Amino acid sequence: MNAKNTKAIKSPGAVYFMFGATGDLAHRKLYPALYSMYHSGKLEKDFAIMGIAPEKLSQGEFCDSVYQSTQEFGHCKPKSNKREWDEFSEHIQYMSLDINDTDGFHRLKEAAEQVEEKFQIAGNRLFYLALPPDLFDRVTSNIKKGGLLESNGWHRLVIEKPFGSDLASAEKLNEDILKVFAEREIYRLDHYLGKEMVQNISAFRFTNAFFEAFWNNKYIANIQITMSETVGVEERGGYYDHAGALRDMGQNHMLQMLAAMAMEPPSRLDPEDIHDEKVKVFRALRTYATAAQVHKHVVRGQYSAGELDGEQKPAYRSEKSVAANSDTETYFAAKVFVDNFRWAGVPFYVRTGKRLPVKTTEIVVEFKNVPDNVFYTKQDKIEPNLLVFRVSPAEGLYFKVNAKNPDSNPSAANIIPVAMDINEESLIGPDTTEGYELLLFDATCGDTSCFTRWGEVALAWAFVDKITEVWAGDQQEPKLYPCGSWGPEEAQQLLEKDGFHWWPMMGQRGAGN
Amino acid sequence: MNAKNTKAIKSPGAVYFMFGATGDLAHRKLYPALYSMYHSGKLEKDFAIMGIAPEKLSQGEFCDSVYQSTQEFGHCKPKSNKREWDEFSEHIQYMSLDINDTDGFHRLKEAAEQVEEKFQIAGNRLFYLALPPDLFDRVTSNIKKGGLLESNGWHRLVIEKPFGSDLASAEKLNEDILKVFAEREIYRLDHYLGKEMVQNISAFRFTNAFFEAFWNNKYIANIQITMSETVGVEERGGYYDHAGALRDMGQNHMLQMLAAMAMEPPSRLDPEDIHDEKVKVFRALRTYATAAQVHKHVVRGQYSAGELDGEQKPAYRSEKSVAANSDTETYFAAKVFVDNFRWAGVPFYVRTGKRLPVKTTEIVVEFKNVPDNVFYTKQDKIEPNLLVFRVSPAEGLYFKVNAKNPDSNPSAANIIPVAMDINEESLIGPDTTEGYELLLFDATCGDTSCFTRWGEVALAWAFVDKITEVWAGDQQEPKLYPCGSWGPEEAQQLLEKDGFHWWPMMGQRGAGN
């Protein structure tokens, strides 16, 4: 299986078993993605969606709820395609099932065989566990016991983060799953890998020959990866207070984006080759050897009360389901070292946090500047070049370059920074898909390129564990930052020590930093 | 004197002696430029414009004609600034003068001293010869004989192309001028060097550190310089039929742009350093050693009758003042070799012609492509990266890069070319100034950076002479191309032999090639 397979017009016929069918993820992301696949012809007639959850719901009630959420959250709206929706919804089945009930899985198997016959599906089965990870073991073992792996065709398991809470728990989880599914059948979904601009990192790097000229420590000064959220912990306090920003965002999305930026060109675009290169990056991450190094290179923050978008927001410790003395970080910034020939001496600065001023995901490549006191630098302050991948909410890419100021006023600066943007002719628009549609399609096509292999997960945990261990034994509390600020002062100092600063987010106009 | 001096808010007070004051150049370019300088504060009160021509005109008649042409051709319109214009026009004087009349130059001197006293000008005198070059000798010798160089302050001579018609005639011209003016007092104006985007070549190259990464033969496949005109020979038949495209455009504008692209970084931005580097490029131009090499690498074309912009246009040989059997080229294309370490193996393709489909000046840098059969190239045809300097009529710069096609239709191409353009936030607009304002200002500030030094002129003639000599002794007539086409077929073949093609002009949408 390789990337070329994704060029098939439609995905292979399959039954989509949606465990956690009544949950938030399924309703907000998965049903809209499946309907959109149907709308665009990636799903044809030979598919069925089997919703599975403990709730007692009639077929009609379930279909109505799927319609409602697709209408609300999907970019492809069923309301304007009523007839198409009716056809699509004929492929939806619901089964109330207690996941501890092995007999129920036998009934699920029978139901699956019926829809496979009805829609002439050859036995391909995709099991999507939109469930907490502590349920994975029970579900997968019952999938096997219930005989659901006894069809012709492939069987694939799709799971999402959190994949454990440290290396040990992730290993346990992985062992459990491997009792039932082979590694090549396991699709660990990181929805950031489905995002247009994250996928573009590879496209840009490997289809533009001149990129290779500067993609190294001779020309790049540092790389900054920012994922900022405006939301607080919201309804997720119970989970989040045990996880924190580093596990929730750092271990997966952020290190995956870092790997996409840092990896060597794979020898092929086949999934195995891409994973091999990412694993090499993770292996090259310099683990912080001591508590002192963690303190020096990683900033741990937690939001205090403050104003955001004109509203007063409570402190993290006042949030529902959060311990009143919680030390959980809602923000972290880290200076990460990739110890290989390409990146030696180039810091990767990563940061993420809740209750920051804007919601955005951006990757900024800061180039080394022209030498001081050469030519124009004698007259003007020259800004370094930037290459910015705007992942979300807007998608785009721009170079920040220096140009002659066309202002003929002789007192004006000679040289000014200007942005070279992908212009409006290109089709890249706002980030709407969240990647689920693309990733579900890849999974049915057997393309694991944009999923994470066990080796990556394990190494990412090993890197993160070193930090969380130090924090767990720490006397220091997280640094507080008020809601609506860009995190603790220490995160600014992290770069200032190196003579750098965080570049403003949200495009060339800047929106603070 | 160096580039920093151009940052003075105003130019030093001076008398501008405009020889050829009733001619086309003065009216279309020079008066609008001087008025615009006044408008923007580069000229204050201490200046005078001394119009000199044989015609008998009253002061009022001359001022009116200057007003008319400034209103018509200037981007800064006197009509909307009537009071300012009146102030400005007080500084204009006219003197009817036969340039052979040495006594007349004595009177000119007296007139100059009067205006210098009136406007408190310290004796700086700029002599602009908007005249055919065969008159230069007489004018400069009479400037000296008339005592016009006997003031305090500087004396500078500004002259324009054609600076001779070959190396021998240029040397003669130069010797004549050097009897009166020193090389450092001679400003050989090439108005393309005053163009915003030509000046930006240096700004881009030397203020953007990442440019240095790919500005060499490892990453660049070829560089294409195109100057296309839609006009025919118009009223210039008499001159043009003896000059031709190579002398008229190639020897000056095109080789100057080539030098700006190819030159090594100077050690300072001082004019001498820039000229030194340009001279090095001209020395590195590979002279075609034989007639066969000229035939192989240079295409000589002449327009035949054809349709352009929906109108039938006559053949060159039918134009007024053109010999009916003329072999003069109205088009040439050449493959030029720059034999140095940076550019070995990178052809510079240059072409210019009259009666081509669009009027435009562009420089296209074509990068070497990603290797075949690597990654994406297995699935898609990958276009090479381009960096395009749009000099005229629109000004701008863009990278043509490859990106992932966000079209989710799985049958679409994975990778599509998109343009990264300097966006509308930047101030670069249509090319309106023609550079004269900027260059006049530079001349009064003593900055010769954007003028051509004798060494450059001489080497450019030596390069061009080799071609014209072969053509002059040639049995082959120019290749005919119909008006409205992109030149003779041979010009396409020139690149096709190397596996390249001329990239379409006028931006990423393309307008033929």
Side-chain angles (χ1 to χ4, degrees), chain A residues 285-302:
Chain A
L285 294 182
R286 189 189 306 171
T287 307
Y288 307 112
T290 62
Q293 285 196 6
V294 169
H295 292 144
K296 184 175 176 192
H297 297 308
V298 189
V299 177
R300 179 191 187 197
Q302 187 188 78

Side-chain angles (χ1 to χ4, degrees), chain A residues 7 9 196 199-200 202 207-210 266 368 375-376 385 402 404 411-412 414 420-421 423 425 508, chain B residues 7 9 196 199-200 202 207-210 266 368 375-376 385 402 404 411-412 414 420-421 423 425 508:
Chain A
K7 305 307 289 174
I9 293 289
E196 196 58 42
Q199 301 208 332
N200 245 320
S202 161
T207 66
N208 295 296
F210 79 103
K368 291 185 178 175
F375 314 135
Y376 298 98
N385 297 133
N402 296 302
K404 183 175 169 298
S411 66
N414 278 307
M420 297 185 73
D421 224 328
N423 61 22
E425 283 173 72
Q508 47 275 28
Chain B
K7 304 308 288 176
I9 291 290
E196 195 59 41
Q199 300 208 332
N200 246 318
S202 160
T207 66
N208 295 295
F210 80 103
K368 292 186 178 173
F375 315 136
Y376 299 96
N385 296 131
N402 296 301
K404 184 176 169 297
S411 66
N414 278 308
M420 296 183 74
D421 223 328
N423 61 22
E425 283 173 71
Q508 48 274 27

Side-chain angles (χ1 to χ4, degrees), chain A residues 168-348:
Chain A
S169 59
E171 278 175 339
K172 170 72 174 62
L173 197 55
N174 204 46
E175 279 164 24
D176 291 342
I177 293 169
L178 282 171
K179 288 177 204 154
V180 179
F181 291 93
E183 171 68 24
R184 64 178 164 74
E185 293 175 321
I186 302 169
Y187 288 70
R188 293 177 199 84
L189 187 147
D190 183 327
H191 70 274
Y192 268 76
L193 297 183
K195 284 186 179 289
E196 196 58 42
M197 283 311 297
V198 175
Q199 301 208 332
N200 245 320
I201 294 170
S202 161
F204 269 104
R205 289 189 52 196
F206 304 130
T207 66
N208 295 296
F210 79 103
F211 268 53
E212 183 58 26
F214 53 68
W215 206 261
N216 54 58
N217 58 3
K218 185 169 176 198
Y219 290 98
I220 293 179
N222 69 76
I223 293 181
Q224 304 179 8
I225 305 176
T226 298
M227 296 178 72
S228 62
E229 296 184 291
T230 52
V231 294
V233 72
E234 315 292 311
E235 306 302 311
R236 298 171 71 217
Y239 154 73
Y240 195 87
D241 203 35
H242 291 95
L246 181 59
R247 290 186 179 98
D248 189 47
M249 305 286 264
Q251 186 270 343
N252 36 66
H253 309 318
M254 301 199 78
L255 287 181
Q256 281 291 332
M257 287 193 280
L258 184 153
M261 295 295 284
M263 74 181 197
E264 295 299 311
S267 50
R268 298 174 303 180
L269 274 189
D270 292 7
E272 282 312 291
D273 301 283
I274 292 168
H275 294 306
D276 286 350
E277 293 304 337
K278 284 192 173 175
V279 163
K280 278 167 61 185
V281 174
F282 287 121
R283 285 190 188 129
L285 294 182
R286 189 189 306 171
T287 307
Y288 307 112
T290 62
Q293 285 196 6
V294 169
H295 292 144
K296 184 175 176 192
H297 297 308
V298 189
V299 177
R300 179 191 187 197
Q302 187 188 78
Y303 61 81
S304 56
E307 196 182 299
L308 179 60
D309 285 339
E311 270 182 52
Q312 194 63 26
K313 302 289 185 187
Y316 176 71
R317 290 179 186 177
S318 311
E319 299 270 15
K320 199 164 51 178
S321 319
V322 167
N325 61 349
S326 172
D327 276 352
T328 300
E329 82 284 3
T330 60
Y331 177 102
F332 84 92
K335 179 179 178 181
V336 179
F337 303 85
V338 180
D339 284 335
N340 62 22
F341 279 89
R342 190 184 287 268
W343 297 116
V346 181
F348 286 71

Side-chain angles (χ1 to χ4, degrees), chain B residues 402-449:
Chain B
N402 296 301
K404 184 176 169 297
N405 188 351
D407 183 352
S408 68
N409 179 349
S411 66
N414 278 308
I415 300 296
I416 51 168
V418 296
M420 296 183 74
D421 223 328
I422 289 193
N423 61 22
E424 71 267 51
E425 283 173 71
S426 93
L427 304 169
I428 298 180
D431 161 39
T432 50
T433 65
E434 304 239 24
Y436 279 94
E437 181 179 342
L438 200 148
L439 293 172
L440 270 171
F441 180 66
D442 279 358
T444 52
C445 293
D447 185 346
T448 66
S449 307

